[in-house]
Amino acid sequence: MATNQLTLYVESRFLSPYAMSAFVALQEKGLAFAIRSLDLAARENYSAEYASTSFTCRVPMLRHGDFSLAESSAIAEYLDEAFPSPGYRAILPGALRPRARARQIQAWLRSDFLAIRQERPTEVVFLKPSDQPLSDAARASANRLFAASDALLAKGATDLFGEWSIADTDLALMLNRLVMNGDAVPDRLAAYAQQQWQRRSVRQWIEQGSAASARRTLCQSP
């Protein structure tokens, strides 16, 4: 299957955790791909062309030849099946039950923790921290996150399943909403999140965001 027809559509500020997840998945697979950014504030994602292929008008979206797919967890699963190991690195665990658990973690992170996502948006990770304290609801949400993460991450482990998977990036990002804002996070989980943040694929996403921010600043200069 050809790899030279892959295009990832992301939001132009490079702040979406879901676009980051899809970007990291592509990088970890070792696939060549183009990036196209959409200005969500200008509603470029609602253009007729984009809407006709994404169906949901959301980012990220992966285009592979004449096939388009939105939703980051669906993109990760598609990439593992379209470009399987051993030719390409797996981004989800190979065994049935760990793979199911990784999918559970991804779904959980996308459907829960609304208070954390509202009070610690990804701006605190990629731009600057917030000076507002967490609400009672967000602290309760954080405590649930910590309890489950501690149970999922084996003692002394640096990855959830013995080796890296895309679920590690997704969990690290949720934890880093708190870590990078200076909120209290258990030392073991903070160390895990910070170590995951040093992966080359993650740093490449951050570099993309920094470059986009520099371009915006340049365009806004008098």
Side-chain angles (χ1 to χ4, degrees), residues 169-191:
T169 296
D170 291 348
L171 179 57
L173 178 54
M174 183 61 74
L175 290 167
N176 273 329
R177 291 173 185 264
L178 301 162
V179 173
M180 294 187 177
N181 201 69
D183 299 303
V185 176
D187 289 345
R188 187 171 86 94
L189 298 180

PDB file of all heavy atoms in Angstrom, residues 169-191:
ATOM      1  N   THR A 169       0.937   8.288  24.936  1.00  0.00           N
ATOM      2  CA  THR A 169       0.940   9.705  24.557  1.00  0.00           C
ATOM      3  C   THR A 169      -0.342  10.377  25.000  1.00  0.00           C
ATOM      4  O   THR A 169      -0.329  11.495  25.531  1.00  0.00           O
ATOM      5  CB  THR A 169       1.122   9.853  23.036  1.00  0.00           C
ATOM      6  OG1 THR A 169       2.412   9.348  22.681  1.00  0.00           O
ATOM      7  CG2 THR A 169       1.025  11.315  22.610  1.00  0.00           C
ATOM      8  N   ASP A 170      -1.466   9.714  24.802  1.00  0.00           N
ATOM      9  CA  ASP A 170      -2.756  10.294  25.170  1.00  0.00           C
ATOM     10  C   ASP A 170      -2.867  10.491  26.684  1.00  0.00           C
ATOM     11  O   ASP A 170      -3.336  11.537  27.154  1.00  0.00           O
ATOM     12  CB  ASP A 170      -3.892   9.409  24.673  1.00  0.00           C
ATOM     13  CG  ASP A 170      -4.023   9.414  23.162  1.00  0.00           C
ATOM     14  OD1 ASP A 170      -3.387  10.264  22.511  1.00  0.00           O
ATOM     15  OD2 ASP A 170      -4.750   8.558  22.622  1.00  0.00           O
ATOM     16  N   LEU A 171      -2.437   9.494  27.458  1.00  0.00           N
ATOM     17  CA  LEU A 171      -2.506   9.613  28.911  1.00  0.00           C
ATOM     18  C   LEU A 171      -1.525  10.678  29.405  1.00  0.00           C
ATOM     19  O   LEU A 171      -1.854  11.468  30.297  1.00  0.00           O
ATOM     20  CB  LEU A 171      -2.212   8.264  29.568  1.00  0.00           C
ATOM     21  CG  LEU A 171      -2.237   8.252  31.105  1.00  0.00           C
ATOM     22  CD1 LEU A 171      -3.582   8.734  31.645  1.00  0.00           C
ATOM     23  CD2 LEU A 171      -1.899   6.856  31.638  1.00  0.00           C
ATOM     24  N   ALA A 172      -0.331  10.706  28.840  1.00  0.00           N
ATOM     25  CA  ALA A 172       0.655  11.705  29.258  1.00  0.00           C
ATOM     26  C   ALA A 172       0.145  13.119  29.017  1.00  0.00           C
ATOM     27  O   ALA A 172       0.373  14.015  29.835  1.00  0.00           O
ATOM     28  CB  ALA A 172       1.976  11.480  28.523  1.00  0.00           C
ATOM     29  N   LEU A 173      -0.552  13.327  27.906  1.00  0.00           N
ATOM     30  CA  LEU A 173      -1.075  14.662  27.636  1.00  0.00           C
ATOM     31  C   LEU A 173      -2.107  15.068  28.675  1.00  0.00           C
ATOM     32  O   LEU A 173      -2.099  16.207  29.164  1.00  0.00           O
ATOM     33  CB  LEU A 173      -1.674  14.734  26.235  1.00  0.00           C
ATOM     34  CG  LEU A 173      -2.301  16.088  25.855  1.00  0.00           C
ATOM     35  CD1 LEU A 173      -1.313  17.223  26.049  1.00  0.00           C
ATOM     36  CD2 LEU A 173      -2.800  16.072  24.432  1.00  0.00           C
ATOM     37  N   MET A 174      -3.001  14.151  29.046  1.00  0.00           N
ATOM     38  CA  MET A 174      -3.986  14.494  30.068  1.00  0.00           C
ATOM     39  C   MET A 174      -3.298  14.830  31.387  1.00  0.00           C
ATOM     40  O   MET A 174      -3.660  15.805  32.069  1.00  0.00           O
ATOM     41  CB  MET A 174      -4.970  13.341  30.244  1.00  0.00           C
ATOM     42  CG  MET A 174      -6.094  13.631  31.237  1.00  0.00           C
ATOM     43  SD  MET A 174      -7.137  15.046  30.765  1.00  0.00           S
ATOM     44  CE  MET A 174      -8.090  14.304  29.421  1.00  0.00           C
ATOM     45  N   LEU A 175      -2.311  14.046  31.773  1.00  0.00           N
ATOM     46  CA  LEU A 175      -1.579  14.326  33.007  1.00  0.00           C
ATOM     47  C   LEU A 175      -0.810  15.639  32.910  1.00  0.00           C
ATOM     48  O   LEU A 175      -0.740  16.408  33.881  1.00  0.00           O
ATOM     49  CB  LEU A 175      -0.621  13.175  33.324  1.00  0.00           C
ATOM     50  CG  LEU A 175      -1.274  11.858  33.770  1.00  0.00           C
ATOM     51  CD1 LEU A 175      -0.261  10.724  33.732  1.00  0.00           C
ATOM     52  CD2 LEU A 175      -1.855  11.996  35.180  1.00  0.00           C
ATOM     53  N   ASN A 176      -0.248  15.917  31.739  1.00  0.00           N
ATOM     54  CA  ASN A 176       0.556  17.128  31.580  1.00  0.00           C
ATOM     55  C   ASN A 176      -0.276  18.398  31.588  1.00  0.00           C
ATOM     56  O   ASN A 176       0.268  19.496  31.787  1.00  0.00           O
ATOM     57  CB  ASN A 176       1.397  17.037  30.306  1.00  0.00           C
ATOM     58  CG  ASN A 176       2.726  16.350  30.557  1.00  0.00           C
ATOM     59  OD1 ASN A 176       3.278  16.447  31.655  1.00  0.00           O
ATOM     60  ND2 ASN A 176       3.240  15.665  29.556  1.00  0.00           N
ATOM     61  N   ARG A 177      -1.580  18.306  31.396  1.00  0.00           N
ATOM     62  CA  ARG A 177      -2.430  19.480  31.589  1.00  0.00           C
ATOM     63  C   ARG A 177      -2.274  19.998  33.020  1.00  0.00           C
ATOM     64  O   ARG A 177      -2.397  21.207  33.271  1.00  0.00           O
ATOM     65  CB  ARG A 177      -3.899  19.113  31.344  1.00  0.00           C
ATOM     66  CG  ARG A 177      -4.256  18.787  29.896  1.00  0.00           C
ATOM     67  CD  ARG A 177      -5.680  18.273  29.835  1.00  0.00           C
ATOM     68  NE  ARG A 177      -6.085  17.813  28.517  1.00  0.00           N
ATOM     69  CZ  ARG A 177      -6.748  18.542  27.615  1.00  0.00           C
ATOM     70  NH1 ARG A 177      -7.077  19.789  27.909  1.00  0.00           N
ATOM     71  NH2 ARG A 177      -7.096  18.040  26.447  1.00  0.00           N
ATOM     72  N   LEU A 178      -2.023  19.088  33.936  1.00  0.00           N
ATOM     73  CA  LEU A 178      -1.850  19.436  35.341  1.00  0.00           C
ATOM     74  C   LEU A 178      -0.382  19.648  35.687  1.00  0.00           C
ATOM     75  O   LEU A 178      -0.013  20.636  36.334  1.00  0.00           O
ATOM     76  CB  LEU A 178      -2.457  18.340  36.213  1.00  0.00           C
ATOM     77  CG  LEU A 178      -3.956  18.088  35.967  1.00  0.00           C
ATOM     78  CD1 LEU A 178      -4.376  16.736  36.528  1.00  0.00           C
ATOM     79  CD2 LEU A 178      -4.795  19.194  36.569  1.00  0.00           C
ATOM     80  N   VAL A 179       0.474  18.730  35.227  1.00  0.00           N
ATOM     81  CA  VAL A 179       1.901  18.825  35.536  1.00  0.00           C
ATOM     82  C   VAL A 179       2.474  20.154  35.066  1.00  0.00           C
ATOM     83  O   VAL A 179       3.147  20.875  35.826  1.00  0.00           O
ATOM     84  CB  VAL A 179       2.673  17.655  34.885  1.00  0.00           C
ATOM     85  CG1 VAL A 179       4.182  17.857  35.059  1.00  0.00           C
ATOM     86  CG2 VAL A 179       2.247  16.319  35.471  1.00  0.00           C
ATOM     87  N   MET A 180       2.215  20.518  33.814  1.00  0.00           N
ATOM     88  CA  MET A 180       2.815  21.708  33.235  1.00  0.00           C
ATOM     89  C   MET A 180       2.168  22.997  33.715  1.00  0.00           C
ATOM     90  O   MET A 180       2.676  24.082  33.452  1.00  0.00           O
ATOM     91  CB  MET A 180       2.802  21.607  31.713  1.00  0.00           C
ATOM     92  CG  MET A 180       3.678  20.506  31.182  1.00  0.00           C
ATOM     93  SD  MET A 180       3.812  20.540  29.391  1.00  0.00           S
ATOM     94  CE  MET A 180       4.974  19.191  29.131  1.00  0.00           C
ATOM     95  N   ASN A 181       1.053  22.857  34.408  1.00  0.00           N
ATOM     96  CA  ASN A 181       0.442  24.039  34.998  1.00  0.00           C
ATOM     97  C   ASN A 181       0.883  24.242  36.441  1.00  0.00           C
ATOM     98  O   ASN A 181       0.498  25.209  37.079  1.00  0.00           O
ATOM     99  CB  ASN A 181      -1.079  23.938  34.935  1.00  0.00           C
ATOM    100  CG  ASN A 181      -1.736  25.288  35.051  1.00  0.00           C
ATOM    101  OD1 ASN A 181      -1.639  26.114  34.149  1.00  0.00           O
ATOM    102  ND2 ASN A 181      -2.404  25.544  36.171  1.00  0.00           N
ATOM    103  N   GLY A 182       1.666  23.302  36.948  1.00  0.00           N
ATOM    104  CA  GLY A 182       2.129  23.416  38.327  1.00  0.00           C
ATOM    105  C   GLY A 182       1.149  22.892  39.352  1.00  0.00           C
ATOM    106  O   GLY A 182       1.328  23.126  40.552  1.00  0.00           O
ATOM    107  N   ASP A 183       0.109  22.168  38.904  1.00  0.00           N
ATOM    108  CA  ASP A 183      -0.833  21.575  39.846  1.00  0.00           C
ATOM    109  C   ASP A 183      -0.209  20.325  40.474  1.00  0.00           C
ATOM    110  O   ASP A 183       0.680  19.696  39.899  1.00  0.00           O
ATOM    111  CB  ASP A 183      -2.129  21.205  39.129  1.00  0.00           C
ATOM    112  CG  ASP A 183      -2.821  22.414  38.526  1.00  0.00           C
ATOM    113  OD1 ASP A 183      -3.115  23.360  39.274  1.00  0.00           O
ATOM    114  OD2 ASP A 183      -3.058  22.418  37.299  1.00  0.00           O
ATOM    115  N   ALA A 184      -0.697  19.971  41.637  1.00  0.00           N
ATOM    116  CA  ALA A 184      -0.148  18.816  42.349  1.00  0.00           C
ATOM    117  C   ALA A 184      -0.499  17.522  41.620  1.00  0.00           C
ATOM    118  O   ALA A 184      -1.665  17.249  41.342  1.00  0.00           O
ATOM    119  CB  ALA A 184      -0.696  18.775  43.776  1.00  0.00           C
ATOM    120  N   VAL A 185       0.541  16.756  41.287  1.00  0.00           N
ATOM    121  CA  VAL A 185       0.399  15.462  40.627  1.00  0.00           C
ATOM    122  C   VAL A 185       1.331  14.490  41.336  1.00  0.00           C
ATOM    123  O   VAL A 185       2.476  14.849  41.627  1.00  0.00           O
ATOM    124  CB  VAL A 185       0.779  15.550  39.129  1.00  0.00           C
ATOM    125  CG1 VAL A 185       0.714  14.184  38.461  1.00  0.00           C
ATOM    126  CG2 VAL A 185      -0.128  16.545  38.402  1.00  0.00           C
ATOM    127  N   PRO A 186       0.902  13.279  41.646  1.00  0.00           N
ATOM    128  CA  PRO A 186       1.803  12.310  42.283  1.00  0.00           C
ATOM    129  C   PRO A 186       3.114  12.180  41.517  1.00  0.00           C
ATOM    130  O   PRO A 186       3.129  12.154  40.284  1.00  0.00           O
ATOM    131  CB  PRO A 186       0.989  11.007  42.250  1.00  0.00           C
ATOM    132  CG  PRO A 186      -0.436  11.462  42.265  1.00  0.00           C
ATOM    133  CD  PRO A 186      -0.457  12.718  41.448  1.00  0.00           C
ATOM    134  N   ASP A 187       4.216  12.109  42.263  1.00  0.00           N
ATOM    135  CA  ASP A 187       5.553  12.141  41.650  1.00  0.00           C
ATOM    136  C   ASP A 187       5.719  11.078  40.568  1.00  0.00           C
ATOM    137  O   ASP A 187       6.288  11.340  39.506  1.00  0.00           O
ATOM    138  CB  ASP A 187       6.627  11.947  42.724  1.00  0.00           C
ATOM    139  CG  ASP A 187       6.756  13.154  43.639  1.00  0.00           C
ATOM    140  OD1 ASP A 187       6.231  14.232  43.282  1.00  0.00           O
ATOM    141  OD2 ASP A 187       7.371  13.015  44.713  1.00  0.00           O
ATOM    142  N   ARG A 188       5.237   9.876  40.837  1.00  0.00           N
ATOM    143  CA  ARG A 188       5.429   8.780  39.875  1.00  0.00           C
ATOM    144  C   ARG A 188       4.718   9.073  38.556  1.00  0.00           C
ATOM    145  O   ARG A 188       5.265   8.819  37.476  1.00  0.00           O
ATOM    146  CB  ARG A 188       4.917   7.468  40.481  1.00  0.00           C
ATOM    147  CG  ARG A 188       5.222   6.230  39.648  1.00  0.00           C
ATOM    148  CD  ARG A 188       4.871   4.987  40.432  1.00  0.00           C
ATOM    149  NE  ARG A 188       3.476   4.635  40.288  1.00  0.00           N
ATOM    150  CZ  ARG A 188       3.013   3.764  39.384  1.00  0.00           C
ATOM    151  NH1 ARG A 188       3.851   3.194  38.540  1.00  0.00           N
ATOM    152  NH2 ARG A 188       1.738   3.468  39.344  1.00  0.00           N
ATOM    153  N   LEU A 189       3.525   9.630  38.634  1.00  0.00           N
ATOM    154  CA  LEU A 189       2.765   9.930  37.425  1.00  0.00           C
ATOM    155  C   LEU A 189       3.334  11.147  36.707  1.00  0.00           C
ATOM    156  O   LEU A 189       3.356  11.189  35.469  1.00  0.00           O
ATOM    157  CB  LEU A 189       1.292  10.151  37.772  1.00  0.00           C
ATOM    158  CG  LEU A 189       0.576   8.947  38.387  1.00  0.00           C
ATOM    159  CD1 LEU A 189      -0.873   9.297  38.690  1.00  0.00           C
ATOM    160  CD2 LEU A 189       0.652   7.729  37.466  1.00  0.00           C
ATOM    161  N   ALA A 190       3.809  12.121  37.466  1.00  0.00           N
ATOM    162  CA  ALA A 190       4.431  13.287  36.842  1.00  0.00           C
ATOM    163  C   ALA A 190       5.696  12.880  36.095  1.00  0.00           C
ATOM    164  O   ALA A 190       5.942  13.344  34.973  1.00  0.00           O
ATOM    165  CB  ALA A 190       4.761  14.334  37.905  1.00  0.00           C
ATOM    166  N   ALA A 191       6.498  11.989  36.694  1.00  0.00           N
ATOM    167  CA  ALA A 191       7.721  11.527  36.034  1.00  0.00           C
ATOM    168  C   ALA A 191       7.389  10.758  34.759  1.00  0.00           C
ATOM    169  O   ALA A 191       8.062  10.915  33.725  1.00  0.00           O
ATOM    170  CB  ALA A 191       8.528  10.651  36.988  1.00  0.00           C
TER     171      ALA A 191
END
